[in-house]
Amino acid sequence: MKLKAFLLSSLVAAPLAFANAEITTQDTYARATPPTAVTSAVFGNIHNSGDRARNIVSVSVDAAGKSELHDVIMDGEMMKMRHVDTFVIPANGKLPLKPGGHHIMMFDLKHPLKEGQTLNVTLTFANGEKYQFQAPVKKVMAGMSMNHNMDHGKEMDHGKMDMQH
Ligand SMILES: [Cu+2]
């Protein structure tokens, strides 16, 4: 037990950057919005090179008044986004964030998102550690609509659902 206590205390004392060296992100981007939209999403891959699964418990994005962890489920024949408490990044694995799946949802955008802008995203893990990354804004024709009620038993058609810009 002495050894275990020592290991725990050394983990707690580890500097932030070191503690999160096993977390990296790749291909991150935020979806550009039409001028009147107040919601959007951040996508990309979150990698975990560590031997333990890691849990993300909250997120904040500088361009948004409020940000949430979302996934997409089938409710009968409808696809619905929902707020979830945790994103799990598997040990030695990754969590893809993509249209139609897990994503970082932004509400109350402070301004329209335009190509050329870069958003700062901060993830908070269950142990309190934080990880920050940048997401360039991109126009995504093949994006999912960010309405909370997907319609009518259609398979999510990425080409059709978001032609407004
Ligand atoms: Cu969402």
Side-chain angles (χ1 to χ4, degrees), residues 35-92:
T36 55
V38 292
T39 64
S40 185
V42 174
F43 304 109
N45 291 306
I46 306 173
H47 294 263
N48 176 12
S49 64
D51 293 331
R52 300 169 296 153
R54 298 292 303 271
N55 291 346
I56 295 168
V57 295
S58 67
V59 60
S60 69
V61 184
D62 57 357
K66 187 172 86 161
S67 303
E68 292 181 352
L69 307 171
H70 275 202
D71 71 2
V72 173
I73 54 161
M74 292 301 295
D75 180 10
E77 293 192 323
M78 257 199 281
M79 291 187 101
K80 278 189 177 170
M81 300 199 298
R82 61 173 186 177
H83 178 195
V84 294
D85 292 332
T86 311
F87 279 180
V88 180
I89 321 296
N92 295 300

Side-chain angles (χ1 to χ4, degrees), residues 72-149:
V72 173
I73 54 161
M74 292 301 295
D75 180 10
E77 293 192 323
M78 257 199 281
M79 291 187 101
K80 278 189 177 170
M81 300 199 298
R82 61 173 186 177
H83 178 195
V84 294
D85 292 332
T86 311
F87 279 180
V88 180
I89 321 296
N92 295 300
K94 70 170 180 180
L95 178 71
L97 307 181
K98 58 188 179 190
H102 292 79
H103 56 278
I104 293 167
M105 189 80 196
M106 295 179 282
F107 296 99
D108 304 330
L109 288 174
K110 296 167 183 171
H111 52 76
L113 303 185
K114 293 181 188 154
E115 266 182 316
Q117 297 171 343
T118 302
L119 309 188
N120 292 302
V121 183
T122 306
L123 305 173
T124 302
F125 289 85
N127 61 1
E129 289 168 7
K130 292 183 188 297
Y131 177 87
Q132 200 170 55
F133 67 91
Q134 294 194 316
V137 175
K138 289 187 185 173
K139 272 193 182 177
V140 186
M141 294 309 289
M144 70 191 236
S145 160
M146 283 295 142
N147 294 321
H148 266 251
N149 291 303

